[in-house]
Amino acid sequence: MVKLRLKRCGRKQRPVYRIVAIDGRSRREGKDLCKMGFYDPINSQTYLNIPAILYFLEKGAQPTGTLFDIFKRAGVFSKFRKKFN
């Protein structure tokens, strides 16, 4: 199963996360299938590649809890619903 997950980057005490599609059985720092954006919790910056996210959601990828909240704030699920209506 493919999961949409945060992959930690950045330096010590200064995390930055990449949003990636990754095999659900691999570890957090494992090889990703596709990079779809980044999330900086300190500066509250988020960049999302919406078409890539929608593509993986259509294929059945499951976002983690934190990513679900980020996507909800960005309105990704409203675009996801519009695509199927």
Side-chain angles (χ1 to χ4, degrees):
M1 171 192 283
V2 175
K3 288 200 169 239
L4 303 180
R5 184 185 283 180
L6 292 173
K7 187 174 186 178
R8 188 181 163 118
C9 302
R11 59 181 199 250
K12 235 183 339 184
Q13 302 296 321
R14 185 83 183 173
V16 176
Y17 297 94
R18 279 195 185 134
I19 299 169
V20 296
I22 196 166
D23 184 22
R25 295 169 293 185
S26 63
R27 57 194 175 93
R28 180 184 74 182
E29 306 303 326
K31 184 163 174 57
D32 51 310
L33 302 172
C34 178
K35 295 176 183 135
M36 293 180 282
F38 74 88
Y39 170 59
D40 184 357
I42 294 173
N43 295 329
S44 299
Q45 292 180 338
T46 305
Y47 170 75
L48 300 173
N49 183 355
I50 302 291
I53 292 168
L54 292 177
Y55 171 78
F56 277 100
L57 287 174
E58 287 171 14
K59 299 296 179 186
Q62 297 294 313
T64 59
T66 306
L67 268 184
F68 186 83
D69 294 338
I70 292 170
F71 290 165
K72 200 153 100 174
R73 267 188 271 137
V76 171
F77 293 116
S78 63
K79 294 174 187 170
F80 184 62
R81 279 191 223 111
K82 284 181 188 174
K83 198 164 188 173
F84 286 106
N85 288 336

